[in-house]
Amino acid sequence: MADLRINLAGIKSPNPFWLASAPPTNSGYQVQRAFEAGWGGAVWKTLGDPILNTSSRFAAISFNGQRVAGFNNIELITDRPLDVNLKEIYETKKKFPNHAIVASLMVEPKQEKWHEIVKRVEDVGVDGLELNFGCPHGMAERGMGSASGQVPALVEKQTLWVKEVAKTPVIVKLTPNITDITATAEAACNGGADAISMINTINSLMGVDLDTWNTIPHVAGKGAHGGYCGPAVKPIALNMVAECARHSQINVPISGIGGISNWRDAVEFMLMGATGVQICTAAMHHGFRIVEDMIEGLNHYLDGKGIAAVSDIIGKSVPKYSDWGNLDLNYNIVAKINTDVCINCNKCYIACEDTSHQCIEMLSDASGKNYLRVWEEDCVGCNLCAIVCPVDGAIEMIEVPNEMPPMTWNERQAVINAVITSKVDTTK
Amino acid sequence: MTEHQQFLAERDKIDFFIQKGFRIQSVNEHLDGATVEFVHPNGDVTEVLLISNANARKYFSSLLIKQNPIGK
Ligand SMILES: Cc1cc2nc3c(=O)[nH]c(=O)nc-3n(C[C@H](O)[C@H](O)[C@H](O)COP(=O)(O)O)c2cc1C
Ligand code: SF4
Ligand code: SF4
């Protein structure tokens, strides 16, 4: 069994699976049940001046039978008074001293407000703080959440204010509702953040009811944008984690969040630089017990690879993530159709013929049976046929040797610019 | 003509000059592809090709890197 413990900027937990700040961490009752089920840590539902919520708060997209492919909410931070939450945090920490309890915080962008809440929360023994600069609705209209999280100067200033008084590690939770998340991540680092976490939810409108013309969800016939999360956002979150992980000025640990539904997703985030992960939608969809499969799956994976500790995989894929200009233009793959496995549905043929490079040919053998073949010379290796093929193993993408050495776009442009400016020495 | 045939045709034209000892003297990229100017080592003969096929444009740039390695 591998060592699953993590240490995120000094916050220790028995495994990398934390519940994200959201309904699953609303109360002591819930967080204690989660710890009993096996979760390594919990970021408490965001604390601040207690708010008022609407009725009808969530909506989800089901896709081809997969329920909750994407999830949307218009819920705000906690609606319970701070002293009630603090009492429950204190009791929970006493019962589970080795589990991580992080308090998520959101107050107005005023120094005294941040000082007050940090002191009160740290007094009950939390292991760390997470500053919620990400909530995209309701709080943002009051100058909090993503409204301040979208302005690097405000991120830096508020982080500084918290660091003036905080005794525990400070995680800054970033909003994805920004063009370049590394700008706010860097601002958090400049403010002294001990770690960053991402992503919070993405601005979204889930749908419009075709009969009533109401928004989905609606509150008495009116709607407002919500925050999108769940499996659909994973690629967006993973890219943001990776962009921060490979950024030279961002050198703090990352807590990865967004669409993580199983141990595989968690491993991907960790390989791309996350020290641990946080999960909300998957727990809301399936309950706390999904963590059992996550722990078991992660253990098997690490054992299978002969890796002794989960912390050994952190960031291992980061050097493989670069800019497009550094990719090898002379690397080639082509599609190969395995006729033994193919069920002749022709989806690949139609995809390539209609929307790619017209290089799958329909042929028939001696007995009149149809089969498909790829013209390798014209195949650009786009992957589309393999993506649309419903049968595992029917299409393989194979590497073709290239007699030309590797050449990136950046190398190509450098040499072309050199001949344009200097005219190459032709006597060499 | 398929894309691949177009590639082979343009590659052959490039190879024709390279085999005769020509070197790539200049490249001008534009909306129709790239105009590649070849010069003979004697310096007295230049030839010009319009290379439009994507793989052929990769090809001449690979040759250019071979001919004039930058920073290597
Ligand atoms: C109903 C709901 C309420 C949420 N409330 C909070 C919150 O109070 N504070 C916070 O930082 N994030 C909140 N989030 C965002 C989650 O913590 C998390 O960042 C996001 O859902 C992405 O993770 P997931 O794809 O695993 O759900 C909420 C998410 C949902 C679905
Ligand atoms: S990889 Fe792309 S170009 Fe090649 S056969 Fe498949 S769809 Fe066509
Ligand atoms: S999509 Fe897959 S199964 Fe269908 S014809 Fe193509 S290779 Fe065969």
Side-chain angles (χ1 to χ4, degrees), chain A residues 131 133 154-163 172 188 191-193:
Chain A
L131 315 187
F133 294 153
L154 276 178
V155 170
E156 181 175 341
K157 191 153 68 172
Q158 295 182 95
T159 309
L160 263 168
W161 289 337
V162 170
K163 286 295 291 178
V172 172

Side-chain angles (χ1 to χ4, degrees), chain A residues 376-397:
Chain A
E376 292 189 1
E377 298 81 11
D378 281 319
C379 172
V380 299
C382 70
N383 287 342
L384 181 65
C385 52
I387 289 167
V388 301
C389 174
V391 183
D392 279 347
I395 300 184
E396 224 181 317
M397 301 301 303

